[in-house]
Amino acid sequence: MPHGLRRLIIAALAIFFAIFFVVPWLVSFATDWLWFRQLGYTTVYTTSLWWHVILFLLGGVVTYAVLSGNIRLALGRTAKTPVLFVHQNAQVAADLSRLVMRLAWIAPLAIAFVMGTFMAADWMTYAQAFHGASVGTTDPIFGRDIGFYLFQLPALSTVLGIAVALVVMSLIAAGGVYVLRGQLSFGAHHGAADRGAEIHLASLAAVLFLLVAAQLWVVTSANLLYSTTGPLVGASYTDVHVSLPGIRLSAIAALIAIGLVIWGAMRGRLLRRLAIAVALYAAVGIVARGILPLAVQRLVVLPNELTKETPYLQNHIAATRAAWGLTNVQTRQLSGEATLTMADIKSNAPTINNVRLWERDLLQQTFKQLQEIRTYYDFVSVNDDRYMIDGDYRQVHLSVRELNAASLPTQSFINNRLTFTHGMGITMAPVNQVTDEGLPVLFIKDLPPVSTVNLKLTRPEIYYGQAAESYVFVNTKQKEFDYPLGDQNIYTSYPGSGGVPVGSFLRRALYSMQFGSLQILFSDDIAGNARIMYHRNIMERASTALPFLTFDAEPYIVITDDGKLDWVLDGYTTSSGYPYAKAVDGIDYMRNSVKVTIDAYTGAVTAYVADSADPVIRTYENIFAGIFKPISAMPADVRRHMRYPGQLFRTQALLQATYHMDDPQAFYHREDEWVIPEVSDRGNDITAYMRHMIMRLPGEQKEEFIYMTPFTPRGKDNLAAWMVARMDGAHYGELRVYRFPKQSLVYGPKQIVNRINQDTDISRQITLWDQRGSEVIHGELLVIPIQESLIYVQPLFLRASGGSIPEMKRVVVASGDRVVMGETLDQALTAMFGSGATAAVTGQQADTAGAGAVPAPNAAAAVPAAGVASLLQQAQSHYDRAIAAQRAGDWATYGKEISALGSVIEQLRAKHP
């Protein structure tokens, strides 16, 4: 190829590389830097950048030095020495010296680039190893701090793996060169080699065996703590007594192999001694790490598994509880024989007044129909929270009215990027109130937002939210649409500090290339004090600013005391390296150590450390100095709305269902294992009965906001226990389990659903609605603890045929053997408990065969022979229920109660003729 043409091709390739790789990288680097600087998180960006650069250079230089050095050593000092390949049959010789010399620097350079890129991508592993915090707890086998497994072991394993790979590649490359040069051959006398080649290859082989021995002694033995050989995660009897000695014996065999290799090189018989060394190491490994552990596991351990594995089961249980934050779960025993009266209902008024009748999905549909106002607004999700509403502690639903740019009637650069830039306000509804039409009562509604309670919005604009996927420009010459007012539109200009200044030509050029839009560069509206907002989706924004955290999928909005809107996200620190702990979805350690707030107006991101005892967050604090604030610095008006995160609670509840059994024998037999009840038509949805609610816990004096889930025994439908996560004040984060006695039968959700479906009055009403062409929607069945008992509540919704707005029409209440229905919760409770009436909740005795059976509802209440006072109380109860049924239009129940009242009156007459 002519020299000029070669230079032209090289120049063209250089230009191509610069245009399609270098320039885009520089543009991305510049815009990322501007974004992190505006947000105040340059430490995250620069720390990541420096670790990337250092590891890329370190990995690349070391890799190139090792590979190139060994290849050049094999080639010898004289680069012109011919390298011949001779095909013995055809007696053809080929001069490959030029090809080999080119590969001698091209191949190591390419491998060095790949290795440097690989190490740079894994930079967090090395940063954690360098800055890793201690846990203060040691593993039960080797006595090392748990921090070694969380932080140092992954990096050590990676480094040793890379070192082994480099030595193996060096052996292959150097050996290939020696074979091509005729300095290494495999003849009838078990191979012969040049003296210099033997020493070189022997040195590489010795280093390889040394590295393998180190891997075995440190990494492989430590990995036994994640073994699944036995009936658990972690080192079992076989692992400790057979596999571990086998690993150490293999490491010793590798050291012996080093001696054999060196001896072979000294005696001029390297290949023979190398073959013996490899055979020795392989034989020891097959026997000591393969055959022997398998034989012991099957012949010794399995026939006596519980006896052999008991101490290791204990290690597994303790480690799992510690890794998932279950060590401090408090357990309370309930009597299981309590009865409820109307007095109990009234004394728990805060719980009853906050029963969550509205289902999130149905409420979201209603909000969409009643409160979106315009087609380009959208309610993405509905969340629960608690507020002091006009002096009362109330649970409410909140949903943010966000802008959905995809629904704009006209799609254009001006509309999508300059005019329609933000959503507007929220809708708030109490969880338990219904209008006469069966629709939710709204505390905050309409545009501009109007509040009927003591909560006010002073900054309702939503520039950052769950639906904000694209970039927008604010403070431009084009006015922004704020909200509709009748037939008019109200416009505004953004005076806030959010976004990156973009008024200069250079910055417009940068963002024009970054987002692939020439209109950014040439728009006359983008000038002066204009700002660009991007990464506006709050999940994306938090993950970009804090990429080492994972975030709960349910962010929620908070109204501050001064009327602003702040998003709150729960950040998790996780690991897959906690020894002996059970993994869930590849993770065996999780803490909600960070609470992140994002201002819906400015996009400001603030990260607070909620669990300073977490070693992972302490490690991140060491890596990224100054980006975290203590939780005490969180504003009080935001802090009192902190929620226990749903993903963590769901995982902890799943594990608590099994790992509450801390006795190894009970754990092995699973004799008291629980499950979270599921709804049959939702598949494996364990969230069906998990609820946020305001209630007064048994033994406590004040109502509080909690997250609750029930448990049923595996294979049974009766209730075994319920678990709560507390969220208010100093009790935030406490987990508590309330257990029912095993000898008492407490109806579970599935049994109550069956009773509701079997109730003739409810079935008759549903059939009547169905005949009219309406869709009947069974709301979520709510499990409501009241003192040491339970009631179940299920709202019934009606949706007209072809309609989209569900209306609440009835509320079903179940307690003990009785199921009643009323137009409202109050009516249903009155029908259930009457004035001073009692309802036995958990008086039945459980039996093994019939724990899931449900007695058929009585046609009329049984009237026992009792004293006059008791009969009068029963008469009053039946009368109250009859009146409640009459008001609800439930004439069948009305007739039953009147009949029962007549029976009581006859008994009174018999006692006093």
Side-chain angles (χ1 to χ4, degrees), residues 19 43 55 152 159 246 327 361 394 473 475 567 852:
I19 292 175
T43 299
L55 287 171
Q152 279 78 40
V159 169
T327 305
D361 292 343
R394 301 290 300 274
F473 294 89
N475 208 13
W567 291 98

Side-chain angles (χ1 to χ4, degrees), residues 674-695:
W674 304 334
V675 295
I676 299 173
E678 301 170 352
V679 178
S680 57
D681 60 353
R682 295 190 184 182
N684 296 323
D685 182 10
I686 66 167
T687 66
Y689 299 108
M690 287 187 176
R691 296 289 178 273
H692 290 100
M693 64 177 68
I694 289 177
M695 66 169 292

Side-chain angles (χ1 to χ4, degrees), residues 417-621:
R417 309 301 182 192
L418 306 180
T419 304
F420 291 90
T421 58
H422 59 277
M424 173 58 66
I426 66 170
T427 296
M428 175 188 286
V431 297
N432 64 321
Q433 286 185 253
V434 186
T435 66
D436 293 339
E437 294 79 19
L439 299 175
V441 172
L442 301 180
F443 284 166
I444 300 178
K445 61 181 179 179
D446 297 342
L447 288 173
V450 176
S451 174
T452 61
V453 293
N454 59 306
L455 301 175
K456 305 299 179 184
L457 291 181
T458 59
R459 184 57 76 186
E461 297 89 345
I462 310 294
Y463 284 89
Y464 299 85
Q466 293 175 280
E469 299 290 348
S470 59
Y471 64 93
V472 296
F473 294 89
V474 296
N475 208 13
T476 66
K477 296 178 182 180
Q478 181 72 34
K479 290 291 186 180
E480 299 174 49
F481 171 79
D482 204 21
Y483 58 87
L485 186 62
D487 295 332
Q488 299 179 347
N489 291 331
I490 306 301
Y491 292 87
T492 187
S493 291
Y494 181 80
S497 59
V500 177
V502 71
S504 69
F505 178 83
L506 177 59
R507 291 198 176 182
R508 293 203 308 274
L510 281 174
Y511 286 104
S512 178
M513 287 186 284
Q514 177 69 17
F515 294 111
S517 173
L518 288 175
Q519 295 178 78
I520 296 176
L521 182 62
F522 296 112
S523 174
D524 294 333
D525 292 319
I526 304 173
N529 296 320
R531 308 174 80 92
I532 181 173
M533 295 180 174
Y534 53 109
H535 295 314
R536 296 195 302 135
N537 180 283
I538 55 174
M539 297 294 288
E540 177 197 358
R541 191 172 186 82
S543 298
T544 304
L546 304 164
F548 44 88
L549 299 178
T550 56
F551 289 92
D552 193 89
E554 295 185 3
Y556 52 98
I557 199 81
V558 170
I559 305 174
T560 65
D561 288 348
D562 57 359
K564 296 193 305 180
L565 294 172
D566 279 351
W567 291 98
V568 181
L569 292 81
D570 289 291
Y572 296 119
T573 54
T574 61
S575 176
S576 57
Y578 202 103
Y580 264 111
K582 178 177 176 59
V584 177
D585 296 330
I587 295 172
D588 55 29
Y589 176 90
M590 176 182 281
R591 290 292 186 275
N592 175 218
S593 295
V594 180
K595 301 287 186 180
V596 174
T597 63
I598 299 179
D599 191 309
Y601 185 70
T602 67
V605 178
T606 310
Y608 301 94
V609 175
D611 184 1
S612 58
D614 173 27
V616 180
I617 196 60
R618 286 191 281 119
T619 298
Y620 289 144
E621 287 184 291

Side-chain angles (χ1 to χ4, degrees), residues 722-737:
W722 48 280
M723 179 178 179
V724 300
R726 306 177 72 180
M727 304 191 200
D728 286 352
H731 296 295
Y732 176 86
E734 292 181 6
L735 300 176
R736 187 176 291 183
V737 173

Side-chain angles (χ1 to χ4, degrees), residues 758-892:
Q758 293 167 7
D759 188 90
T760 55
D761 297 330
I762 297 175
S763 298
R764 187 182 301 113
Q765 182 63 68
I766 292 175
T767 301
L768 180 62
W769 283 331
D770 285 337
Q771 290 174 350
R772 294 175 180 173
S774 299
E775 178 188 2
V776 179
I777 302 172
H778 291 262
E780 299 169 331
L781 182 66
L782 308 173
V783 185
I784 312 295
I786 303 290
Q787 297 183 162
E788 294 203 1
S789 300
L790 293 169
I791 63 172
Y792 288 88
V793 176
Q794 184 179 48
L796 297 179
F797 298 88
L798 201 62
R799 181 159 49 198
S801 178
S804 56
I805 302 180
E807 301 175 2
M808 189 185 301
K809 291 301 183 183
R810 296 289 188 273
V811 178
V812 178
V813 173
S815 180
D817 293 333
R818 299 191 65 235
V819 176
V820 299
M821 181 173 66
E823 289 189 4
T824 65
L825 178 60
D826 288 343
Q827 287 185 9
L829 289 172
T830 301
M832 173 64 69
F833 300 108
S835 177
T838 61
V841 178
T842 57
Q844 302 84 357
Q845 293 297 313
D847 61 86
T848 305
V854 181
N858 298 327
V863 183
V868 174
S870 176
L871 290 172
L872 288 173
Q873 186 179 23
Q874 292 179 49
Q876 181 66 52
S877 172
H878 290 303
Y879 174 77
D880 290 340
R881 292 173 187 165
I883 295 301
Q886 182 186 40
R887 291 172 179 170
D890 187 355
W891 299 108

